[in-house]
Amino acid sequence: MISRAPLPPPPPSEEPGPWPDHAALLAERTRAMVELSRRGLSLGRLVTLWLTGALAVVGWAAVGTAIQSFEGGGLGLMTGVVSLGLAAVLLVVAAVVVGFWLSRGRLIRERRAAWAEFAPERVTDIRLGAHRRSVMWLLPSVLLCLVGMWVTGRALIEAMSGGATGRESVALGETAYALGLGGTLLVTGLLGLVPSVRHQCWSEWFTGPELIRGGGGAHR
């Protein structure tokens, strides 16, 4: 789901670079920063995050099934072993994908920051803010965080109170799955929420009028 097109290259190690004048440099810097902002908040990255979260949820479901099978004993032990193996594979794969996902995001931020430091002047292109993309990331991420906290809290309350349905005890497998589900939803939401908020804070600072005073004199 993540675009395979190469990212805009980093700026040269020092000025003046391959540009005929400073205006051409600023135009290239703006183009690179806008594209990096777009790629950092792309729909593909967001969907990849959600699919990875869904994979982890299935893994936690397998953990719950394994625990219930072990509790049942008998032939259920074999089912438990298989389920536990499946859970390990799914959760490890999800963790590896998240690792690559975070590494890609860090590379995008570092490259964008390199362009910002290379020519620290105010950007007037409104596309740098990527406001629609930020909202696209922000709203569902907040919802996932809220649902994740609710599921986790409910699972903990039921585990401590013996279950809201009147049962004397709550199955350990159900509790493990509920906690895994809630935790996964919460982490997935936070992973989507942080880039959106961080980008908006950064873009507001970089396009703000104070940057003209702070960085505009660097090329005078």
mmCIF file of all heavy atoms in Angstrom, residues 97-141:
data_model
loop_
_atom_site.group_PDB
_atom_site.id
_atom_site.type_symbol
_atom_site.label_atom_id
_atom_site.label_comp_id
_atom_site.label_asym_id
_atom_site.label_seq_id
_atom_site.Cartn_x
_atom_site.Cartn_y
_atom_site.Cartn_z
ATOM 1 N N VAL A 97 6.291 -5.137 10.392
ATOM 2 C CA VAL A 97 5.712 -4.167 9.465
ATOM 3 C C VAL A 97 5.649 -2.784 10.101
ATOM 4 O O VAL A 97 5.963 -1.774 9.466
ATOM 5 C CB VAL A 97 4.310 -4.626 9.007
ATOM 6 C CG1 VAL A 97 3.642 -3.536 8.170
ATOM 7 C CG2 VAL A 97 4.413 -5.902 8.189
ATOM 8 N N VAL A 98 5.244 -2.721 11.365
ATOM 9 C CA VAL A 98 5.202 -1.436 12.065
ATOM 10 C C VAL A 98 6.603 -0.830 12.151
ATOM 11 O O VAL A 98 6.781 0.389 12.006
ATOM 12 C CB VAL A 98 4.595 -1.597 13.467
ATOM 13 C CG1 VAL A 98 4.817 -0.342 14.308
ATOM 14 C CG2 VAL A 98 3.105 -1.882 13.366
ATOM 15 N N GLY A 99 7.610 -1.672 12.369
ATOM 16 C CA GLY A 99 8.981 -1.183 12.416
ATOM 17 C C GLY A 99 9.396 -0.527 11.100
ATOM 18 O O GLY A 99 9.973 0.566 11.088
ATOM 19 N N PHE A 100 9.099 -1.198 9.982
ATOM 20 C CA PHE A 100 9.402 -0.618 8.670
ATOM 21 C C PHE A 100 8.571 0.640 8.433
ATOM 22 O O PHE A 100 9.055 1.619 7.851
ATOM 23 C CB PHE A 100 9.131 -1.642 7.561
ATOM 24 C CG PHE A 100 10.226 -2.652 7.386
ATOM 25 C CD1 PHE A 100 10.022 -3.988 7.716
ATOM 26 C CD2 PHE A 100 11.472 -2.284 6.910
ATOM 27 C CE1 PHE A 100 11.034 -4.921 7.567
ATOM 28 C CE2 PHE A 100 12.493 -3.211 6.746
ATOM 29 C CZ PHE A 100 12.262 -4.535 7.081
ATOM 30 N N TRP A 101 7.325 0.625 8.876
ATOM 31 C CA TRP A 101 6.434 1.775 8.707
ATOM 32 C C TRP A 101 6.989 2.992 9.454
ATOM 33 O O TRP A 101 7.016 4.109 8.928
ATOM 34 C CB TRP A 101 5.056 1.399 9.231
ATOM 35 C CG TRP A 101 3.969 2.372 8.968
ATOM 36 C CD1 TRP A 101 3.160 2.431 7.871
ATOM 37 C CD2 TRP A 101 3.542 3.435 9.839
ATOM 38 N NE1 TRP A 101 2.247 3.453 7.992
ATOM 39 C CE2 TRP A 101 2.457 4.084 9.186
ATOM 40 C CE3 TRP A 101 3.945 3.886 11.084
ATOM 41 C CZ2 TRP A 101 1.805 5.164 9.762
ATOM 42 C CZ3 TRP A 101 3.298 4.970 11.653
ATOM 43 C CH2 TRP A 101 2.236 5.588 10.990
ATOM 44 N N LEU A 102 7.429 2.786 10.679
ATOM 45 C CA LEU A 102 8.011 3.870 11.457
ATOM 46 C C LEU A 102 9.322 4.357 10.855
ATOM 47 O O LEU A 102 9.606 5.564 10.841
ATOM 48 C CB LEU A 102 8.240 3.406 12.899
ATOM 49 C CG LEU A 102 6.977 3.168 13.732
ATOM 50 C CD1 LEU A 102 7.350 2.524 15.070
ATOM 51 C CD2 LEU A 102 6.229 4.473 13.973
ATOM 52 N N SER A 103 10.131 3.421 10.349
ATOM 53 C CA SER A 103 11.398 3.795 9.735
ATOM 54 C C SER A 103 11.179 4.653 8.498
ATOM 55 O O SER A 103 11.890 5.641 8.264
ATOM 56 C CB SER A 103 12.188 2.531 9.367
ATOM 57 O OG SER A 103 13.397 2.862 8.712
ATOM 58 N N ARG A 104 10.168 4.298 7.704
ATOM 59 C CA ARG A 104 9.839 5.085 6.518
ATOM 60 C C ARG A 104 9.391 6.499 6.905
ATOM 61 O O ARG A 104 9.814 7.482 6.292
ATOM 62 C CB ARG A 104 8.732 4.380 5.744
ATOM 63 C CG ARG A 104 8.239 5.098 4.501
ATOM 64 C CD ARG A 104 9.200 4.966 3.370
ATOM 65 N NE ARG A 104 8.593 5.375 2.113
ATOM 66 C CZ ARG A 104 9.201 5.331 0.934
ATOM 67 N NH1 ARG A 104 10.442 4.867 0.863
ATOM 68 N NH2 ARG A 104 8.601 5.733 -0.168
ATOM 69 N N GLY A 105 8.548 6.592 7.924
ATOM 70 C CA GLY A 105 8.106 7.894 8.381
ATOM 71 C C GLY A 105 9.255 8.744 8.891
ATOM 72 O O GLY A 105 9.308 9.956 8.641
ATOM 73 N N ARG A 106 10.181 8.122 9.605
ATOM 74 C CA ARG A 106 11.339 8.852 10.117
ATOM 75 C C ARG A 106 12.215 9.356 8.971
ATOM 76 O O ARG A 106 12.713 10.498 9.009
ATOM 77 C CB ARG A 106 12.150 7.971 11.053
ATOM 78 C CG ARG A 106 13.341 8.677 11.673
ATOM 79 C CD ARG A 106 13.959 7.858 12.783
ATOM 80 N NE ARG A 106 14.375 6.538 12.333
ATOM 81 C CZ ARG A 106 13.762 5.403 12.663
ATOM 82 N NH1 ARG A 106 12.692 5.433 13.446
ATOM 83 N NH2 ARG A 106 14.197 4.248 12.218
ATOM 84 N N LEU A 107 12.390 8.544 7.936
ATOM 85 C CA LEU A 107 13.182 8.961 6.778
ATOM 86 C C LEU A 107 12.545 10.169 6.100
ATOM 87 O O LEU A 107 13.235 11.117 5.711
ATOM 88 C CB LEU A 107 13.305 7.802 5.790
ATOM 89 C CG LEU A 107 13.999 8.120 4.461
ATOM 90 C CD1 LEU A 107 15.442 8.554 4.702
ATOM 91 C CD2 LEU A 107 13.942 6.909 3.528
ATOM 92 N N ILE A 108 11.222 10.138 5.956
ATOM 93 C CA ILE A 108 10.521 11.257 5.326
ATOM 94 C C ILE A 108 10.712 12.528 6.142
ATOM 95 O O ILE A 108 10.989 13.605 5.593
ATOM 96 C CB ILE A 108 9.030 10.923 5.158
ATOM 97 C CG1 ILE A 108 8.848 9.807 4.115
ATOM 98 C CG2 ILE A 108 8.239 12.162 4.749
ATOM 99 C CD1 ILE A 108 7.425 9.303 4.003
ATOM 100 N N ARG A 109 10.562 12.438 7.461
ATOM 101 C CA ARG A 109 10.725 13.613 8.310
ATOM 102 C C ARG A 109 12.148 14.152 8.264
ATOM 103 O O ARG A 109 12.361 15.372 8.202
ATOM 104 C CB ARG A 109 10.349 13.280 9.759
ATOM 105 C CG ARG A 109 8.878 12.966 9.968
ATOM 106 C CD ARG A 109 8.540 12.983 11.452
ATOM 107 N NE ARG A 109 9.404 12.119 12.230
ATOM 108 C CZ ARG A 109 9.194 10.835 12.450
ATOM 109 N NH1 ARG A 109 8.145 10.240 11.898
ATOM 110 N NH2 ARG A 109 10.008 10.127 13.200
ATOM 111 N N GLU A 110 13.128 13.257 8.295
ATOM 112 C CA GLU A 110 14.518 13.692 8.271
ATOM 113 C C GLU A 110 14.857 14.374 6.951
ATOM 114 O O GLU A 110 15.576 15.384 6.935
ATOM 115 C CB GLU A 110 15.440 12.492 8.496
ATOM 116 C CG GLU A 110 15.390 11.948 9.918
ATOM 117 C CD GLU A 110 16.210 10.685 10.081
ATOM 118 O OE1 GLU A 110 16.646 10.139 9.028
ATOM 119 O OE2 GLU A 110 16.408 10.235 11.219
ATOM 120 N N ARG A 111 14.339 13.845 5.855
ATOM 121 C CA ARG A 111 14.623 14.454 4.549
ATOM 122 C C ARG A 111 13.935 15.805 4.428
ATOM 123 O O ARG A 111 14.496 16.752 3.885
ATOM 124 C CB ARG A 111 14.185 13.503 3.437
ATOM 125 C CG ARG A 111 14.728 13.881 2.077
ATOM 126 C CD ARG A 111 14.720 12.708 1.127
ATOM 127 N NE ARG A 111 15.651 11.657 1.539
ATOM 128 C CZ ARG A 111 15.920 10.566 0.812
ATOM 129 N NH1 ARG A 111 15.305 10.390 -0.350
ATOM 130 N NH2 ARG A 111 16.763 9.668 1.243
ATOM 131 N N ARG A 112 12.724 15.903 4.936
ATOM 132 C CA ARG A 112 12.016 17.179 4.899
ATOM 133 C C ARG A 112 12.723 18.201 5.781
ATOM 134 O O ARG A 112 12.853 19.379 5.420
ATOM 135 C CB ARG A 112 10.582 16.976 5.363
ATOM 136 C CG ARG A 112 9.673 18.180 5.172
ATOM 137 C CD ARG A 112 8.288 17.857 5.654
ATOM 138 N NE ARG A 112 8.286 17.478 7.060
ATOM 139 C CZ ARG A 112 7.302 16.848 7.660
ATOM 140 N NH1 ARG A 112 6.224 16.493 6.990
ATOM 141 N NH2 ARG A 112 7.370 16.560 8.947
ATOM 142 N N ALA A 113 13.196 17.778 6.952
ATOM 143 C CA ALA A 113 13.926 18.676 7.838
ATOM 144 C C ALA A 113 15.237 19.134 7.204
ATOM 145 O O ALA A 113 15.663 20.279 7.405
ATOM 146 C CB ALA A 113 14.206 17.986 9.171
ATOM 147 N N ALA A 114 15.873 18.250 6.434
ATOM 148 C CA ALA A 114 17.122 18.627 5.765
ATOM 149 C C ALA A 114 16.881 19.751 4.764
ATOM 150 O O ALA A 114 17.678 20.692 4.665
ATOM 151 C CB ALA A 114 17.719 17.411 5.059
ATOM 152 N N TRP A 115 15.766 19.672 4.026
ATOM 153 C CA TRP A 115 15.430 20.745 3.092
ATOM 154 C C TRP A 115 15.092 22.022 3.849
ATOM 155 O O TRP A 115 15.444 23.132 3.410
ATOM 156 C CB TRP A 115 14.257 20.330 2.215
ATOM 157 C CG TRP A 115 14.648 19.502 1.028
ATOM 158 C CD1 TRP A 115 14.489 18.157 0.869
ATOM 159 C CD2 TRP A 115 15.275 19.968 -0.164
ATOM 160 N NE1 TRP A 115 14.981 17.757 -0.346
ATOM 161 C CE2 TRP A 115 15.470 18.851 -1.006
ATOM 162 C CE3 TRP A 115 15.693 21.226 -0.602
ATOM 163 C CZ2 TRP A 115 16.061 18.956 -2.269
ATOM 164 C CZ3 TRP A 115 16.284 21.334 -1.855
ATOM 165 C CH2 TRP A 115 16.462 20.207 -2.673
ATOM 166 N N ALA A 116 14.416 21.914 4.978
ATOM 167 C CA ALA A 116 14.065 23.096 5.759
ATOM 168 C C ALA A 116 15.314 23.789 6.288
ATOM 169 O O ALA A 116 15.393 25.022 6.303
ATOM 170 C CB ALA A 116 13.150 22.707 6.913
ATOM 171 N N GLU A 117 16.308 23.021 6.708
ATOM 172 C CA GLU A 117 17.546 23.603 7.204
ATOM 173 C C GLU A 117 18.411 24.136 6.070
ATOM 174 O O GLU A 117 19.169 25.095 6.255
ATOM 175 C CB GLU A 117 18.325 22.548 8.004
ATOM 176 C CG GLU A 117 17.628 22.109 9.279
ATOM 177 C CD GLU A 117 18.343 20.972 9.966
ATOM 178 O OE1 GLU A 117 19.415 20.560 9.448
ATOM 179 O OE2 GLU A 117 17.853 20.491 10.993
ATOM 180 N N PHE A 118 18.312 23.543 4.905
ATOM 181 C CA PHE A 118 19.124 23.960 3.761
ATOM 182 C C PHE A 118 18.762 25.371 3.314
ATOM 183 O O PHE A 118 19.624 26.155 2.936
ATOM 184 C CB PHE A 118 18.920 22.963 2.619
ATOM 185 C CG PHE A 118 19.798 23.233 1.429
ATOM 186 C CD1 PHE A 118 21.161 23.012 1.500
ATOM 187 C CD2 PHE A 118 19.251 23.701 0.236
ATOM 188 C CE1 PHE A 118 21.979 23.255 0.403
ATOM 189 C CE2 PHE A 118 20.059 23.939 -0.866
ATOM 190 C CZ PHE A 118 21.424 23.717 -0.781
ATOM 191 N N ALA A 119 17.472 25.697 3.349
ATOM 192 C CA ALA A 119 17.010 27.037 2.977
ATOM 193 C C ALA A 119 15.912 27.442 3.957
ATOM 194 O O ALA A 119 14.721 27.312 3.654
ATOM 195 C CB ALA A 119 16.494 27.055 1.539
ATOM 196 N N PRO A 120 16.283 27.918 5.144
ATOM 197 C CA PRO A 120 15.301 28.195 6.206
ATOM 198 C C PRO A 120 14.530 29.490 5.978
ATOM 199 O O PRO A 120 14.684 30.461 6.717
ATOM 200 C CB PRO A 120 16.170 28.261 7.458
ATOM 201 C CG PRO A 120 17.490 28.757 6.967
ATOM 202 C CD PRO A 120 17.658 28.171 5.599
ATOM 203 N N GLU A 121 13.712 29.498 4.958
ATOM 204 C CA GLU A 121 12.874 30.655 4.671
ATOM 205 C C GLU A 121 11.418 30.215 4.609
ATOM 206 O O GLU A 121 11.119 29.054 4.331
ATOM 207 C CB GLU A 121 13.283 31.307 3.351
ATOM 208 C CG GLU A 121 14.711 31.858 3.382
ATOM 209 C CD GLU A 121 15.091 32.554 2.082
ATOM 210 O OE1 GLU A 121 14.243 33.283 1.534
ATOM 211 O OE2 GLU A 121 16.229 32.340 1.629
ATOM 212 N N ARG A 122 10.531 31.146 4.843
ATOM 213 C CA ARG A 122 9.106 30.851 4.905
ATOM 214 C C ARG A 122 8.604 30.246 3.593
ATOM 215 O O ARG A 122 8.965 30.682 2.507
ATOM 216 C CB ARG A 122 8.331 32.133 5.222
ATOM 217 C CG ARG A 122 6.826 31.951 5.322
ATOM 218 C CD ARG A 122 6.183 33.244 5.790
ATOM 219 N NE ARG A 122 4.734 33.120 5.890
ATOM 220 C CZ ARG A 122 3.896 33.495 4.929
ATOM 221 N NH1 ARG A 122 4.370 34.027 3.823
ATOM 222 N NH2 ARG A 122 2.599 33.352 5.089
ATOM 223 N N VAL A 123 7.755 29.215 3.728
ATOM 224 C CA VAL A 123 7.114 28.582 2.572
ATOM 225 C C VAL A 123 5.698 29.138 2.442
ATOM 226 O O VAL A 123 4.932 29.120 3.409
ATOM 227 C CB VAL A 123 7.069 27.047 2.735
ATOM 228 C CG1 VAL A 123 6.309 26.413 1.582
ATOM 229 C CG2 VAL A 123 8.480 26.483 2.794
ATOM 230 N N THR A 124 5.369 29.614 1.259
ATOM 231 C CA THR A 124 4.045 30.206 1.049
ATOM 232 C C THR A 124 3.069 29.231 0.394
ATOM 233 O O THR A 124 1.879 29.525 0.313
ATOM 234 C CB THR A 124 4.159 31.456 0.167
ATOM 235 O OG1 THR A 124 4.775 31.107 -1.088
ATOM 236 C CG2 THR A 124 5.011 32.519 0.850
ATOM 237 N N ASP A 125 3.542 28.087 -0.046
ATOM 238 C CA ASP A 125 2.677 27.108 -0.701
ATOM 239 C C ASP A 125 1.780 26.451 0.350
ATOM 240 O O ASP A 125 2.269 25.765 1.250
ATOM 241 C CB ASP A 125 3.518 26.055 -1.413
ATOM 242 C CG ASP A 125 2.712 25.215 -2.407
ATOM 243 O OD1 ASP A 125 1.528 24.927 -2.105
ATOM 244 O OD2 ASP A 125 3.253 24.859 -3.461
ATOM 245 N N ILE A 126 0.467 26.662 0.233
ATOM 246 C CA ILE A 126 -0.455 26.136 1.246
ATOM 247 C C ILE A 126 -0.505 24.616 1.239
ATOM 248 O O ILE A 126 -0.976 24.006 2.203
ATOM 249 C CB ILE A 126 -1.868 26.712 1.049
ATOM 250 C CG1 ILE A 126 -2.421 26.306 -0.330
ATOM 251 C CG2 ILE A 126 -1.868 28.216 1.207
ATOM 252 C CD1 ILE A 126 -3.876 26.707 -0.530
ATOM 253 N N ARG A 127 -0.030 23.990 0.161
ATOM 254 C CA ARG A 127 -0.047 22.529 0.108
ATOM 255 C C ARG A 127 0.872 21.916 1.151
ATOM 256 O O ARG A 127 0.726 20.745 1.502
ATOM 257 C CB ARG A 127 0.353 22.041 -1.282
ATOM 258 C CG ARG A 127 -0.613 22.416 -2.391
ATOM 259 C CD ARG A 127 -0.097 21.928 -3.728
ATOM 260 N NE ARG A 127 1.192 22.541 -4.042
ATOM 261 C CZ ARG A 127 1.983 22.148 -5.055
ATOM 262 N NH1 ARG A 127 1.610 21.139 -5.823
ATOM 263 N NH2 ARG A 127 3.140 22.763 -5.286
ATOM 264 N N LEU A 128 1.826 22.691 1.658
ATOM 265 C CA LEU A 128 2.742 22.158 2.661
ATOM 266 C C LEU A 128 1.993 21.751 3.925
ATOM 267 O O LEU A 128 2.385 20.813 4.613
ATOM 268 C CB LEU A 128 3.817 23.202 3.000
ATOM 269 C CG LEU A 128 4.905 22.736 3.955
ATOM 270 C CD1 LEU A 128 5.742 21.632 3.322
ATOM 271 C CD2 LEU A 128 5.799 23.906 4.361
ATOM 272 N N GLY A 129 0.906 22.454 4.226
ATOM 273 C CA GLY A 129 0.134 22.120 5.423
ATOM 274 C C GLY A 129 -0.578 20.793 5.341
ATOM 275 O O GLY A 129 -0.819 20.152 6.365
ATOM 276 N N ALA A 130 -0.881 20.341 4.113
ATOM 277 C CA ALA A 130 -1.574 19.053 3.911
ATOM 278 C C ALA A 130 -2.746 18.906 4.878
ATOM 279 O O ALA A 130 -2.901 17.884 5.544
ATOM 280 C CB ALA A 130 -0.589 17.894 4.067
ATOM 281 N N HIS A 131 -3.586 19.944 4.952
ATOM 282 C CA HIS A 131 -4.641 19.970 5.965
ATOM 283 C C HIS A 131 -5.663 18.850 5.774
ATOM 284 O O HIS A 131 -6.088 18.221 6.738
ATOM 285 C CB HIS A 131 -5.333 21.325 5.952
ATOM 286 C CG HIS A 131 -4.422 22.468 6.293
ATOM 287 N ND1 HIS A 131 -3.758 22.544 7.498
ATOM 288 C CD2 HIS A 131 -4.033 23.573 5.582
ATOM 289 C CE1 HIS A 131 -3.015 23.636 7.535
ATOM 290 N NE2 HIS A 131 -3.166 24.277 6.384
ATOM 291 N N ARG A 132 -6.068 18.601 4.550
ATOM 292 C CA ARG A 132 -7.055 17.544 4.311
ATOM 293 C C ARG A 132 -6.493 16.185 4.683
ATOM 294 O O ARG A 132 -7.191 15.353 5.271
ATOM 295 C CB ARG A 132 -7.501 17.561 2.862
ATOM 296 C CG ARG A 132 -8.328 18.790 2.465
ATOM 297 C CD ARG A 132 -8.804 18.689 1.037
ATOM 298 N NE ARG A 132 -9.619 19.846 0.660
ATOM 299 C CZ ARG A 132 -10.135 20.026 -0.552
ATOM 300 N NH1 ARG A 132 -9.942 19.114 -1.506
ATOM 301 N NH2 ARG A 132 -10.860 21.102 -0.809
ATOM 302 N N ARG A 133 -5.234 15.968 4.341
ATOM 303 C CA ARG A 133 -4.618 14.689 4.682
ATOM 304 C C ARG A 133 -4.467 14.551 6.200
ATOM 305 O O ARG A 133 -4.631 13.467 6.756
ATOM 306 C CB ARG A 133 -3.244 14.569 4.010
ATOM 307 C CG ARG A 133 -3.331 14.432 2.494
ATOM 308 C CD ARG A 133 -1.943 14.419 1.859
ATOM 309 N NE ARG A 133 -2.044 14.295 0.419
ATOM 310 C CZ ARG A 133 -2.083 13.138 -0.229
ATOM 311 N NH1 ARG A 133 -2.001 12.010 0.455
ATOM 312 N NH2 ARG A 133 -2.188 13.105 -1.537
ATOM 313 N N SER A 134 -4.160 15.648 6.866
ATOM 314 C CA SER A 134 -4.034 15.598 8.322
ATOM 315 C C SER A 134 -5.360 15.239 8.970
ATOM 316 O O SER A 134 -5.413 14.442 9.910
ATOM 317 C CB SER A 134 -3.540 16.949 8.845
ATOM 318 O OG SER A 134 -2.214 17.199 8.418
ATOM 319 N N VAL A 135 -6.442 15.835 8.462
ATOM 320 C CA VAL A 135 -7.766 15.511 8.999
ATOM 321 C C VAL A 135 -8.116 14.057 8.711
ATOM 322 O O VAL A 135 -8.701 13.361 9.555
ATOM 323 C CB VAL A 135 -8.825 16.457 8.408
ATOM 324 C CG1 VAL A 135 -10.225 16.015 8.806
ATOM 325 C CG2 VAL A 135 -8.584 17.892 8.882
ATOM 326 N N MET A 136 -7.749 13.592 7.515
ATOM 327 C CA MET A 136 -8.016 12.205 7.134
ATOM 328 C C MET A 136 -7.316 11.235 8.082
ATOM 329 O O MET A 136 -7.832 10.164 8.396
ATOM 330 C CB MET A 136 -7.539 11.971 5.694
ATOM 331 C CG MET A 136 -7.704 10.537 5.191
ATOM 332 S SD MET A 136 -7.024 10.325 3.508
ATOM 333 C CE MET A 136 -5.251 10.514 3.815
ATOM 334 N N TRP A 137 -6.146 11.609 8.580
ATOM 335 C CA TRP A 137 -5.434 10.791 9.551
ATOM 336 C C TRP A 137 -5.966 11.016 10.965
ATOM 337 O O TRP A 137 -6.049 10.070 11.758
ATOM 338 C CB TRP A 137 -3.934 11.135 9.523
ATOM 339 C CG TRP A 137 -3.166 10.473 8.432
ATOM 340 C CD1 TRP A 137 -3.399 10.567 7.081
ATOM 341 C CD2 TRP A 137 -2.026 9.622 8.581
ATOM 342 N NE1 TRP A 137 -2.475 9.830 6.393
ATOM 343 C CE2 TRP A 137 -1.619 9.243 7.280
ATOM 344 C CE3 TRP A 137 -1.310 9.169 9.685
ATOM 345 C CZ2 TRP A 137 -0.520 8.414 7.067
ATOM 346 C CZ3 TRP A 137 -0.222 8.341 9.472
ATOM 347 C CH2 TRP A 137 0.157 7.968 8.183
ATOM 348 N N LEU A 138 -6.310 12.252 11.274
ATOM 349 C CA LEU A 138 -6.623 12.619 12.650
ATOM 350 C C LEU A 138 -7.931 12.020 13.150
ATOM 351 O O LEU A 138 -7.964 11.388 14.222
ATOM 352 C CB LEU A 138 -6.678 14.145 12.772
ATOM 353 C CG LEU A 138 -6.992 14.704 14.154
ATOM 354 C CD1 LEU A 138 -5.886 14.347 15.141
ATOM 355 C CD2 LEU A 138 -7.175 16.216 14.089
ATOM 356 N N LEU A 139 -9.019 12.207 12.416
ATOM 357 C CA LEU A 139 -10.338 11.828 12.910
ATOM 358 C C LEU A 139 -10.461 10.329 13.193
ATOM 359 O O LEU A 139 -10.858 9.940 14.298
ATOM 360 C CB LEU A 139 -11.415 12.299 11.935
ATOM 361 C CG LEU A 139 -11.542 13.822 11.785
ATOM 362 C CD1 LEU A 139 -12.681 14.168 10.837
ATOM 363 C CD2 LEU A 139 -11.737 14.489 13.133
ATOM 364 N N PRO A 140 -10.146 9.447 12.228
ATOM 365 C CA PRO A 140 -10.260 8.016 12.556
ATOM 366 C C PRO A 140 -9.268 7.566 13.622
ATOM 367 O O PRO A 140 -9.548 6.634 14.378
ATOM 368 C CB PRO A 140 -9.987 7.314 11.217
ATOM 369 C CG PRO A 140 -9.253 8.303 10.393
ATOM 370 C CD PRO A 140 -9.749 9.641 10.814
ATOM 371 N N SER A 141 -8.125 8.244 13.708
ATOM 372 C CA SER A 141 -7.141 7.879 14.731
ATOM 373 C C SER A 141 -7.660 8.202 16.122
ATOM 374 O O SER A 141 -7.483 7.419 17.066
ATOM 375 C CB SER A 141 -5.818 8.604 14.468
ATOM 376 O OG SER A 141 -5.247 8.211 13.233
#
